[in-house]
Amino acid sequence: MSIRDRTAIVGVGTSRFVMKTPESPMRLATQAFKAALADAGLARDDIDGLAINIGWPLGVDYDRFAEVCGLKIRFADQSWTHGRFVGPALQHAAMAVASGLANVVACVCGVSFIQERGLLGGPGDFEGTREEGGTHEENPVYGLTAPAAGAALSAQRYFALYGATSEQLAAVPIAFRKHAMLNPQAIMRTPLTVEDHQNSRWVVEPLHLFDCCIVSDGASVVLVTSAERARDGKEPPVWIGGMQGMRAGRDEFLFAPPGLGIGAQRAFRYTPTEDELSVYRMAGVDQTDIDALYTYDAFSPLVWFVLERFGFCGLGEAAAWTQTGRIELGGALPMNTSGGLLSEAHVSGWNSIVEIVRQLRGACGERQVKDARVMQWATAWGDSTIFHR
Amino acid sequence: MTGEYRKPLPRVTSDNRPFWEATKRHELRLQRCGACGRFRYPPAPVCPDCLSEDAEWTPVSGRGTVTTFIVMHKVYFQSFAGDVPYNVVQVELEEGPRLTANLVDVPNEGMTVGMPVEVVFDDVTPEITLPRFRRTS
Ligand SMILES: [Zn+2]
């Protein structure tokens, strides 16, 4: 039996998003949690599930969070501490509710990337020393370290294969900066131009500073419950209409679409099949129904890759496709309308899930996508969830 | 080489030890499946194509092409501080697998995807020899 429309998001909350704060991730998480409860009109004791993707040492773990907030949890789920698991954590929450393991699951993300930035490359990045390479192709023996380097490997090859350029890539952070300028909660709210992008320092060439997401602190909480409970909620439910899981295997490199030929990936011309995009079938929609698309924009090339992976444009076409405002508010497919990780904050993607909910409630003011009905979360690593009102 | 080598060294495991023993002899050897004949890298206890455990560490040509490259500008490891901006490349060997390494003789602005290269060996410590690559004409 499909999970289509059997669960919904009924409450969202956030802390402040900041570059520097004396507040602990736990304090930020408790603030977001209380905000989400108030938003949903639920009591603390209604929460009996927790789903978390970023725990120690970057963020708040399930056991401590349950203790701190006095929760009685009967479904606890926590992944490897990586942003990529935002989609899977949300999916686990929905699956737990749909299968009766919990009534209301709180997806909790309270993170401090600022305090722990030494984990993101260099000697403090223990994961990057994994034998036979880290998960972003790290190989410290040759000085290849930090997630940005993995995204740079993919960007360079993409540029070479398709003749795309760094100037074209600038369209991505510029679009999201425009969105952030309409979002009082966003951290980066000054205008960004192609010249600013091109003149910004290299982090890992061919990626400039503005191709890399913000390093920030913040918390977001998303409450998932059953269709029955959702109908009695304080706010209109945002339905989880369809999902597909994260991909792994020899054809997968986290920061590339299949076929690009990074690391162990085969090099071939990838065209997604209907089966590989089963999220649309489950939700009963197709790409043309999507009013806005949200993705994990840790690095700007990931935005191109998700557009191609999910068939919004053809292979090698994303560079041209993202010019002329197509992914901006008012464009054919607005993306990351809160500003995303590139300009709102790095709350591991949960800030974008919160944005989807606010958009589908019609609560986004100046940056509202007109008449939004269906929105999609999708990542370069292949997981996706489709939401509707 | 002057002084002690301070950069990270490979994590030698029971699965990859023959690779590093070979490079120490200035040989590049990869696992070749005894059942289906395919080369594989990184090292693994079974063949990803047929799951056979039967494999031989077989010499490879050391020739290949650059499939992608980057230039690291930020210092993450202090031991690389004197090297920035330095390159990292991925090289697809003639036998198929790709290796991550550095190009030793190409200026950063001269690197291209598709550049033909061949392996060279760098004895960085008495125990460890790193394969790197240089341009072939
Ligand atoms: Zn085999």
Side-chain angles (χ1 to χ4, degrees):
Chain A
M1 182 181 178
S2 161
I3 200 166
R4 176 177 175 173
D5 294 348
R6 293 177 59 205
T7 63
I9 297 175
V10 294
V12 292
T14 64
S15 70
R16 297 185 304 138
F17 299 153
V18 282
M19 297 283 268
K20 201 172 165 67
T21 174
E23 295 172 306
S24 67
M26 184 62 82
R27 183 176 296 276
L28 298 172
T30 58
Q31 291 165 355
F33 180 60
K34 289 167 77 171
L37 288 177
D39 182 58
L42 289 174
R44 175 257 307 268
D45 293 341
D46 293 323
I47 308 302
D48 58 355
L50 278 179
I52 287 180
N53 67 313
I54 300 260
W56 178 262
L58 280 176
V60 167
D61 287 324
Y62 78 93
D63 57 334
R64 285 289 297 136
F65 188 78
E67 288 166 18
V68 165
C69 292
L71 302 177
K72 212 172 153 196
I73 295 301
R74 63 192 182 104
F75 172 83
D77 180 68
Q78 182 170 333
S79 73
W80 192 15
T81 293
H82 279 286
R84 80 190 70 156
F85 294 107
V86 50
L90 180 66
Q91 293 175 352
H92 292 175
M95 288 188 269
V97 166
S99 58
L101 297 183
N103 293 327
V104 186
V105 177
C107 304
V108 176
C109 183
V111 285
S112 175
F113 284 98
I114 294 276
Q115 289 171 36
E116 301 295 343
R117 62 193 318 158
L119 290 170
L120 308 170
D125 185 354
F126 181 67
E127 282 183 18
T129 69
R130 184 171 71 178
E131 66 267 26
E132 321 315 350
T135 186
H136 317 94
E137 287 288 314
E138 291 93 337
N139 195 329
V141 172
Y142 295 104
L144 181 58
T145 184
L153 287 170
S154 295
Q156 186 74 265
R157 184 161 170 81
Y158 188 94
F159 287 174
L161 285 180
Y162 304 116
T165 65
S166 171
E167 287 86 345
Q168 287 179 305
L169 191 54
V172 170
I174 288 170
F176 299 173
R177 182 61 62 86
K178 287 182 185 171
H179 299 164
M181 289 168 67
L182 301 173
N183 176 8
Q185 189 173 245
I187 292 175
M188 304 291 272
R189 305 194 61 209
T190 52
L192 182 68
T193 66
V194 178
E195 292 70 36
D196 296 334
H197 175 271
Q198 291 296 297
N199 292 333
S200 68
R201 67 173 186 270
W202 296 116
V203 175
V204 181
E205 198 176 335
L207 297 186
H208 284 279
L209 176 66
F210 291 121
D211 292 313
C212 304
C213 64
I214 312 175
V215 176
S216 64
D217 291 2
S220 295
V221 170
V222 170
L223 303 178
V224 179
T225 194
S226 63
E228 301 72 44
R229 285 169 197 272
R231 287 195 190 92
D232 304 328
K234 184 175 151 196
E235 293 280 347
V238 168
W239 299 99
I240 295 177
M243 49 174 77
Q244 68 178 47
M246 183 174 147
R247 306 302 154 95
R250 272 195 293 169
D251 281 337
E252 298 291 340
F253 164 50
L254 187 70
F255 286 166
L260 188 59
I262 304 297
Q265 279 189 314
R266 286 183 304 148
F268 64 99
R269 289 191 62 83
Y270 177 72
T271 309
T273 64
E274 211 180 297
D275 277 344
E276 284 164 331
L277 301 180
S278 58
V279 65
Y280 295 113
R281 194 186 310 144
M282 188 185 292
V285 299
D286 65 27
Q287 287 90 337
T288 63
D289 296 308
I290 304 301
D291 294 312
L293 178 65
Y294 294 80
T295 195
Y296 197 92
D297 54 332
F299 304 101
S300 42
L302 304 185
V303 172
W304 285 356
F305 300 157
V306 80
L307 286 166
E308 295 183 8
R309 177 160 206 157
F310 282 85
F312 288 94
C313 63
L315 186 66
E317 294 174 3
W321 202 89
T322 47
Q323 308 304 307
T324 66
R326 203 183 239 126
I327 61 170
E328 295 176 14
L329 281 162
L333 183 72
M335 292 185 70
N336 292 12
T337 55
S338 68
L341 273 62
L342 284 165
S343 276
E344 186 189 27
H346 192 336
V347 194
S348 172
W350 290 103
N351 46 316
S352 285
I353 305 295
V354 169
E355 173 74 2
I356 290 169
V357 171
R358 289 177 176 160
Q359 285 281 353
L360 289 172
R361 289 174 179 176
C364 284
E366 273 191 287
R367 67 177 194 283
Q368 181 63 44
V369 177
K370 299 276 175 293
D371 307 318
R373 288 196 59 257
V374 184
M375 293 190 170
Q376 182 177 10
W377 169 262
T379 65
W381 39 95
D383 75 280
S384 182
T385 303
I386 290 178
F387 308 85
H388 67 90
R389 64 178 164 91
Chain B
M1 194 181 76
T2 56
E4 196 185 337
Y5 187 76
R6 295 184 181 280
K7 290 174 179 166
L9 288 168
R11 199 175 272 263
V12 179
T13 68
S14 59
D15 286 334
N16 69 22
R17 181 167 288 111
F19 179 87
W20 296 110
E21 288 173 349
T23 60
K24 197 174 164 183
R25 298 190 304 268
H26 289 202
E27 290 174 8
L28 194 61
R29 288 178 182 255
L30 300 185
Q31 283 169 298
R32 184 175 203 177
C33 178
C36 74
R38 291 185 177 93
F39 282 95
R40 67 173 179 266
Y41 186 85
V46 296
C47 170
D49 287 297
C50 71
L51 288 184
S52 171
E53 292 173 44
D54 182 14
E56 192 166 340
W57 286 89
T58 308
V60 293
S61 65
R63 288 188 301 272
T65 54
V66 172
T67 51
T68 191
F69 61 90
I70 59 173
V71 179
M72 298 290 293
H73 285 260
K74 188 171 161 175
V75 176
Y76 289 95
F77 288 97
Q78 271 312 310
S79 50
F80 282 89
D83 298 350
V84 289
Y86 61 88
N87 75 67
V88 183
V89 297
Q90 290 195 333
V91 170
E92 187 170 306
L93 297 172
E94 287 177 352
E95 292 80 4
R98 290 187 203 102
L99 266 59
T100 294
N102 311 112
L103 277 190
V104 296
D105 64 343
V106 183
N108 288 339
E109 53 284 2
M111 293 190 295
T112 54
V113 168
M115 175 182 283
V117 294
E118 65 185 3
V119 73
V120 293
F121 294 96
D122 186 357
D123 302 317
V124 297
T125 73
E127 293 77 33
I128 292 291
T129 296
L130 300 181
R132 304 189 203 271
F133 289 87
R134 70 181 173 206
R135 176 168 25 190
T136 54
S137 43

